[in-house]
Amino acid sequence: MRYLGRLVGLAGPVWGLLAASSAVGFLAVAAGAGMLATAAYLIAMAALSPPLAALSVSIVGIRLFTLLRAGARYLERYLSHDATLRLLSALRVRLYAALEQMPPARFAGISDADLFTRLVADIDRLQFFYLRVVLPPLIAILTAAGLACFLGVFAGQLIYPVLAGFLLAGVVLPLAFYRLGAGLGRNLTTAGAGLNAAVIDSLRGWREIAASGDTGRQLERATQACASLSLAQLRAADLTGMADAASGLVLNITVLAAFLAAAGMVRGEQIAGVYLGALTLVVQGAAEAVLPLTASFRYWGECLTAAERIISVLASNPVAVRPAVEAPPAAYGLELRDVRFRYRPDGPWVLDGLSLSIPAGSRVAVVGVSGAGKSTLARLLLRFYEPNGGAIFLGGREISEYQAEAVRSVMGVLEQNNHLFNASVADNIRLAYPAAGEAEVIAAAGDAGLGAVIDKLPQGMATLVGENGHCLSGGERQRVAMARVLLKKPAVVILDEPTAGLDPVSEQVLLAALLANTAGRTTILITHRLSGLAAMDDIVVLDRGRVAEQGRFDELLSRKGLFYDMWQIEQDVF
């Protein structure tokens, strides 16, 4: 319930359209009730064989109400859906923008499939909040008020039984069924998200699943998720049917009560007999506004659960503090002073008092065993995470004083796993610098050693690489990612295990090309492989989040410390 206010607040830009839709919806119900009442009056009067002129107003009135009802119903649907689709479109963009700005730490415990479900299915589900939860009660309130005024003028004795029936069908029954189906909306939403996650995971990992012979277990997982969703939908359908039947019964009894009360007024000569059918049918026509309220209990739970999942992501985005420095860094030396970091508040320290200086334009290799904190260092430099203690400086100024985008604009990253989009080779390279011309893209591809590869492709640079570059080999994918970095021409280059997974020959060729094309730039090579490090200006050996050793290649070997032990093991293996 605490998200109800946020949902109402999100509709601020379109409340005018929603209010207009409610007014037009009331007009459609009133026109429908007026059409029924006028038709009943016309039939009753025609039975008395009056002059045709006495019926002409009623005949014209029926035509008027019929056209008005059709036009108002169309306009109500148009306005309500226009407002809702505008709102959902803006919300989807807002959520995507929030996701784009969040560091990876904010996604802990949330899978890609679940994020996709929140971005698409959960936002789509919110349309029911405005179409089925908000608008129908507004229309029903206007209808009840209008009906009360109408009955107050023509037949005041009908007001109390009619409004009591409407209150029972439109308020009491929806609340009762909401409590009866407690948790139903949450079950529907979470079951749908679980099925989406199972399907997306199966599609993304089908190669690994098939290779490991685990298709049976994955199929069972998807089947169980589908069964959970089907069970929740079946229960929802049962409750919705029961609610509709109960509401229909109450409203029919209300119409019957209105008929009996009107008949009593006719017998008492309080109203003319020709109005008996009109008063009864005007109540039946007005009941059209109450019928949709019974299904709101189901959408209420679904929408609140979807809102919780969406707003929890929006609320997790940290409040942006305006940095003191607006411009991007002008100097590119890096310094870490007693930096401490861990991924969870109760987790171990990944970096524990790390202090390190990397002069501008130097080449520094960061090595260490797995878990020493090498990749974490790269994430902190890119401001994907913030240190728990200590400080990081870029160009002599604390890095947190800059906008995160400003820091990343001067940095280029080549990782072990680089995502390639299902686009052309040229578009994947141009991702790092969208304004680059064709000649610049070709030059970057050549510097990355892609010339021979591109010549073999059927459409050259325009060839689609497939989902995540599956049409290219591992080495070719790395070269495309390398071309991205070279096209950007960053002042600081971070190479995080750039040659992992490559054969020794390809590894040496790629590493040599990287070092040749990053000369004069601050370069940080993060690797667990020690071959090729003789060309580095400095080598930092991390152990348990601290600097264990530091120096040039020959110096570290001569000390016969941790670096020497790692070197010996690598020589024995390779």
Side-chain angles (χ1 to χ4, degrees):
M1 298 297 289
R2 57 195 177 102
Y3 294 103
L4 180 60
R6 294 291 298 272
L7 279 176
V8 174
L10 289 173
V14 296
W15 267 119
L17 287 174
L18 293 176
S21 175
S22 300
V24 176
F26 162 68
L27 183 61
V29 174
M35 179 186 66
L36 292 175
T38 305
Y41 174 79
L42 177 62
I43 294 172
M45 284 294 295
L48 301 177
S49 302
L52 183 60
L55 303 177
S56 60
V57 175
S58 298
I59 295 172
V60 174
I62 291 175
R63 293 175 179 175
L64 176 64
F65 283 131
T66 301
L67 294 175
L68 183 61
R69 181 178 185 275
R73 183 62 67 194
Y74 171 81
L75 187 57
E76 183 260 331
R77 293 286 190 270
Y78 178 85
L79 291 175
S80 62
H81 284 77
D82 181 50
T84 302
L85 293 177
R86 287 175 184 268
L87 179 61
L88 297 187
S89 177
L91 182 58
R92 187 169 284 114
V93 172
R94 180 177 173 183
L95 180 59
Y96 179 81
L99 292 173
E100 191 177 40
Q101 295 173 7
M102 289 182 193
R106 299 289 176 177
F107 299 143
I110 304 178
S111 66
D112 292 344
D114 192 42
L115 283 176
F116 181 78
T117 299
R118 298 184 191 210
L119 189 62
V120 178
D122 287 345
I123 289 182
D124 284 342
R125 192 170 281 110
L126 287 186
Q127 66 180 301
F128 299 118
F129 177 77
Y130 302 101
L131 293 177
R132 304 289 180 85
V133 177
V134 174
L135 290 180
L138 294 178
I139 295 173
I141 291 172
L142 291 175
T143 301
L147 182 62
C149 293
F150 175 81
L151 294 179
V153 173
F154 291 96
Q157 296 181 18
L158 273 65
I159 293 178
Y160 299 108
V162 169
L163 292 185
F166 280 16
L167 184 65
L168 178 60
V171 178
V172 177
L173 285 180
L175 289 176
F177 277 96
Y178 177 75
R179 292 186 176 277
L180 186 61
L184 178 60
R186 178 176 295 275
N187 291 341
L188 280 168
T189 303
T190 55
L195 179 59
N196 287 340
V199 172
I200 292 175
D201 287 344
S202 299
L203 292 175
R204 293 182 62 181
W206 70 269
R207 292 185 182 88
E208 290 77 6
I209 294 171
S212 62
D214 200 27
T215 54
R217 190 172 67 173
Q218 191 67 17
L219 179 61
E220 181 181 357
R221 177 192 171 197
T223 302
Q224 290 177 349
C226 186
S228 298
L229 179 59
S230 298
L231 183 61
Q233 290 175 331
L234 182 61
R235 188 181 178 200
D238 290 341
L239 281 177
T240 302
M242 293 170 59
D244 289 340
S247 176
L249 177 62
V250 169
L251 291 175
N252 285 331
I253 294 174
T254 301
V255 173
L256 178 61
F259 171 77
L260 295 176
M265 296 180 69
V266 170
R267 286 193 299 269
E269 298 182 354
Q270 295 172 279
I271 58 174
V274 292
Y275 295 117
L276 176 60
L279 290 174
T280 303
L281 290 182
V282 80
V283 173
Q284 182 174 343
E288 178 187 355
V290 181
L291 280 172
L293 300 182
T294 55
S296 62
F297 77 92
R298 170 184 170 183
Y299 297 107
W300 182 271
E302 286 187 65
C303 293
L304 286 183
T305 303
E308 179 182 353
R309 288 164 52 81
I310 293 170
I311 295 174
S312 65
V313 175
L314 293 175
S316 67
N317 195 19
V319 177
V321 178
R322 188 176 181 85
V325 180
E326 293 288 339
Y332 308 108
L334 288 163
E335 184 180 1
L336 289 83
R337 298 179 187 172
D338 197 28
V339 172
R340 306 187 78 206
F341 177 78
R342 56 185 174 185
Y343 288 99
R344 301 187 310 275
D346 59 344
W349 291 105
V350 181
L351 297 180
D352 191 7
L354 176 62
S355 296
L356 177 63
S357 179
I358 303 175
S362 64
R363 294 175 170 176
V364 176
V366 180
V367 301
V369 298
S370 297
K374 305 186 298 297
S375 295
T376 299
L377 171 61
R379 294 165 186 165
L380 290 177
L381 293 178
L382 291 166
R383 294 199 64 189
F384 288 154
Y385 297 86
E386 298 295 335
N388 298 117
I392 302 175
F393 294 84
L394 175 60
R397 191 180 296 274
E398 192 167 348
I399 201 171
S400 59
E401 295 182 9
Y402 295 105
Q403 293 278 4
E405 293 78 7
V407 173
R408 295 165 194 158
S409 69
V410 301
M411 293 188 178
V413 186
L414 181 61
E415 298 181 300
Q416 174 181 349
N417 298 311
N418 298 279
H419 184 81
L420 299 187
F421 293 89
N422 188 17
S424 67
V425 176
D427 287 340
N428 271 283
I429 296 174
R430 194 178 279 111
L431 180 67
Y433 182 37
E438 183 178 355
E440 293 175 284
V441 175
I442 293 175
D447 292 339
L450 277 172
V453 176
I454 292 172
D455 291 340
K456 296 178 182 178
L457 296 176
Q459 295 177 293
M461 294 283 286
T463 303
L464 298 179
V465 301
E467 186 69 26
N468 201 19
H470 75 267
C471 295
L472 303 176
S473 68
E476 292 168 348
R477 288 196 294 269
Q478 282 297 90
R479 289 185 180 277
V480 172
M482 174 182 169
R484 284 179 184 168
V485 176
L486 299 181
L487 179 65
K488 186 178 181 180
K489 299 178 181 178
V492 180
V493 181
I494 300 175
L495 308 173
D496 187 2
E497 304 283 7
T499 61
L502 301 182
D503 61 88
V505 175
S506 299
E507 176 186 0
Q508 293 301 319
V509 172
L510 183 61
L511 185 58
L514 282 169
L515 295 179
N517 285 281
T518 56
R521 302 172 186 170
T522 306
T523 304
I524 303 171
L525 173 62
I526 298 172
T527 180
H528 67 279
R529 296 290 301 275
L530 308 184
S531 57
L533 299 187
M536 307 304 292
D537 299 327
D538 196 15
I539 300 174
V540 177
V541 184
L542 293 186
D543 183 35
R544 298 178 183 178
R546 297 183 178 182
V547 177
E549 291 183 299
Q550 186 172 358
R552 293 185 63 88
F553 186 80
D554 293 336
E555 295 174 3
L556 294 176
L557 285 181
S558 63
R559 294 177 190 170
K560 295 189 176 182
L562 179 58
F563 182 83
Y564 177 81
D565 294 338
M566 294 169 58
W567 171 259
Q568 287 293 108
I569 293 174
E570 184 173 303
Q571 297 309 302
D572 293 339
V573 173
F574 294 99

